Structures are given as structure tokens and as C-alpha cells.
């Protein structure tokens, strides 16, 4: 019950919102599922500027999402894509809005981004990272 990167105490609660879970990438059923909140630093590149923030995970067991497509639960959420080059250089930030998120993501990755972070378009918190496998 501590942040794995910072050691801060984690907080367990009944979900008050949709989140989603940082492990399985499914949204929470508010008022029904228990979740754990902790501070997470999403960059692994030592040259990047740290950007720690809050993330939620299911309090119970859930399986890590590892598919080669946008998680289904993300499609109805307000999304911001942040495109980075190696070294944590931000090259683009796109609010998806009503556009097709797959097309926005493809354009970012084809424009030279090495990876893309997905953030919540309302709260700003980190949701997931997309790294091409080609
Ligand atoms: Zn989960």
C-alpha cells in the first residue's frame, strides 16, 4: 500500500468516478468497485522530465492490458494524446475530441513520435503508454 516509485502511502477507496484502472485499462463502476490511488511517474527514460501524478488500480486482482489496440473503455472517454521522442521530448499534444482516436494516434506515430502517452482530457492524469512494436 505504497507508491512503488515514491514510497508515499497509497489510498484505498470505493470508486467515486470512472478513472480507469492503470493495469487492466477498464473503467471503474463508481460506487461498486474498490480502487487504490497512488503517485506514478510514467516516464522510464532517464533523460525525460518527471511528470508524476495520480493513478488508480483495482484493489482486487485484474489482468494487465497488453493488446495492440486502444482499450475499448477508452473510446468513450475524453482523451489527450501526448507524442514523445526518445529522451522525453514532447513533439505534439492532441485533444482527440470527436475525432477517431485511432486516426489521431496513427498520425502522431507516423510523424516521428517514438511513443505516445494517453491522458485524461478532463483531469489530466496519465492513463497508458503506447509503444510501437515495429
Ligand atoms: Zn484493473
Amino acid at each position: 500500500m505504497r507508491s512503488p516509485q515514491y514510497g508515499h502511502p497509497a489510498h484505498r477507496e470505493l470508486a467515486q468516478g470512472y478513472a480507469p484502472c492503470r493495469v487492466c485499462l477498464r473503467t471503474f463502476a463508481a460506487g461498486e468497485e474498490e480502487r487504490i490511488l497512488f503517485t506514478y511517474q510514467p516516464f522510464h527514460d532517464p533523460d525525460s522530465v518527471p511528470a508524476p501524478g495520480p493513478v488508480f488500480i483495482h484493489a482486487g486482482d485484474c489482468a494487465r492490458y497488453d493488446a495492440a489496440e486502444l482499450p475499448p473503455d477508452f473510446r468513450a472517454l475524453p482523451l489527450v494524446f501526448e507524442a514523445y521522442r526518445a529522451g522525453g521530448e514532447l513533439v505534439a499534444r492532441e485533444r482527440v475530441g470527436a475525432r477517431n482516436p485511432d486516426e489521431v494516434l496513427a498520425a502522431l506515430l507516423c510523424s516521428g513520435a517514438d511513443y505516445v502517452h494517453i491522458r485524461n482530457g478532463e483531469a489530466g492524469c496519465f492513463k497508458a503508454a503506447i509503444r510501437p512494436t515495429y
Side-chain angles (χ1 to χ4, degrees), residues 20-26 28 56-63:
C21 172
R22 176 63 184 80
V23 176
C24 66
L25 305 185
R26 287 185 299 109
F28 289 97
F56 292 100
I57 61 171
H58 278 106
D61 289 339
C62 63

Side-chain angles (χ1 to χ4, degrees), residues 86-112:
E89 178 192 358
L90 178 66
V91 293
R93 178 180 288 132
E94 293 271 348
R95 194 175 282 278
V96 175
R99 294 179 290 170
N100 180 329
D102 297 313
E103 292 175 4
V104 177
L105 187 58
L108 290 170
L109 291 171
C110 289
S111 68

Side-chain angles (χ1 to χ4, degrees), residues 74-89:
F74 280 25
R75 294 185 178 278
L77 303 180
L79 302 176
V80 172
F81 292 152
E82 293 179 333
Y84 293 92
R85 289 202 180 96
E89 178 192 358

Side-chain angles (χ1 to χ4, degrees), residues 1-133:
M1 287 298 291
R2 292 194 175 273
S3 164
Q5 298 162 313
Y6 296 94
H8 306 152
H11 173 73
R12 182 175 176 145
E13 66 179 19
L14 190 63
Q16 303 298 308
Y18 60 84
C21 172
R22 176 63 184 80
V23 176
C24 66
L25 305 185
R26 287 185 299 109
T27 52
F28 289 97
E32 297 176 19
E33 294 180 290
E34 289 275 325
R35 65 185 184 182
I36 297 171
L37 168 70
F38 60 94
T39 304
Y40 181 73
Q41 165 21 13
F43 290 97
H44 302 289
D45 189 325
D47 294 330
S48 67
V49 176
V55 294
F56 292 100
I57 61 171
H58 278 106
D61 289 339
C62 63
R64 179 177 185 262
Y65 186 86
D66 199 20
E69 60 191 40
L70 199 64
D73 284 6
F74 280 25
R75 294 185 178 278
L77 303 180
L79 302 176
V80 172
F81 292 152
E82 293 179 333
Y84 293 92
R85 289 202 180 96
E89 178 192 358
L90 178 66
V91 293
R93 178 180 288 132
E94 293 271 348
R95 194 175 282 278
V96 175
R99 294 179 290 170
N100 180 329
D102 297 313
E103 292 175 4
V104 177
L105 187 58
L108 290 170
L109 291 171
C110 289
S111 68
D114 292 312
Y115 58 94
V116 172
H117 282 182
I118 303 174
R119 289 190 175 269
N120 182 310
E122 291 173 343
C125 47
F126 173 77
K127 294 176 182 237
I130 298 171
R131 298 177 190 282
T133 55

